[in-house]
Amino acid sequence: MLTLVVTVLAVMAMLERWRDLPAVRPLRRLLIDKPAAWLNTLTRRHLIFATLMLVIVITGGEMLAALGPLDMSLILLWDVSAFIDVAVAVTTLAASARITRGWNLLAPWRPIRTSRPRARRRPTARKPGNDDDAHGWLLAA
C-alpha cells in the first residue's frame, strides 16, 4: 500500500514539476487532459443519476427487490433524477428571488449603496419656438 501511495505522489510531482519533459507529456495527456475533457461533458443531471445509482449499488438487494429488475430500476432512476434536477433548479431560483427581495427591503438601512443614484438633469430655460415676434426690437416701425 505504501508503495502505491509513493508511486502516485511521485507521478503527481513529475507531472507538476517537469511538465515539458518528453516522458511526462503522454502521462499528462492520459492522466489529466482526457479525464478533464470527459468531466467537462457531464451535467448536473448525470451527477444526480450517478449518485442515485450509487445508493442502489450500496444498498444492494433491498432496493432492487423494491424497484424490480435492474433495467426497470435504471429507468426509474433516470426519471427520479430528472425530477430532482427540476426541484433543485426551482428551489435555487426561488431562493435567489427571496434573497434579492430581502436585500432590496433592507436598502434604506444599508450604510453603503450598491448602485449610484441617478443623475438629475438641471432644467434649462426654454427657448421660444418659431415665434417671429419674440424680440420686439426686430419689429419694423
Side-chain angles (χ1 to χ4, degrees):
M1 183 69 183
L2 183 63
T3 308
L4 180 65
V5 171
V6 170
T7 305
V8 168
L9 288 175
V11 168
M12 288 173 60
M14 257 184 7
L15 289 173
E16 182 58 34
R17 179 78 176 123
W18 299 289
R19 294 179 181 183
D20 297 329
L21 287 178
V24 173
R25 281 189 213 128
L27 280 175
R28 184 173 178 82
R29 239 187 329 243
L30 180 69
L31 297 175
I32 294 175
D33 295 340
K34 285 186 180 180
W38 178 74
L39 286 173
N40 281 337
T41 61
L42 293 179
T43 61
R44 185 177 59 222
R45 178 181 53 227
H46 294 112
L47 296 176
I48 293 171
F49 179 75
T51 305
L52 292 175
M53 188 63 199
L54 185 66
V55 167
I56 281 193
V57 168
I58 289 174
T59 58
E62 292 85 11
M63 289 294 284
L64 287 177
L67 298 176
L70 184 62
D71 355 346
M72 294 305 291
S73 63
L74 288 178
I75 292 171
L76 179 67
L77 278 182
W78 189 255
D79 192 36
V80 168
S81 68
F83 285 134
I84 291 175
D85 189 22
V86 168
V88 165
V90 167
T91 305
T92 304
L93 286 172
S96 68
R98 290 187 66 116
I99 288 171
T100 303
R101 185 171 176 341
W103 185 252
N104 289 337
L105 285 175
L106 293 176
W109 296 288
R110 284 190 301 221
I112 299 172
R113 300 279 181 205
T114 56
S115 62
R116 288 190 281 166
R118 293 181 62 185
R120 296 183 185 195
R121 292 187 182 177
R122 293 189 181 122
T124 57
R126 299 191 91 183
K127 297 179 183 175
N130 204 10
D131 187 8
D132 294 337
D133 296 331
H135 303 290
W137 58 273
L138 288 177
L139 293 174

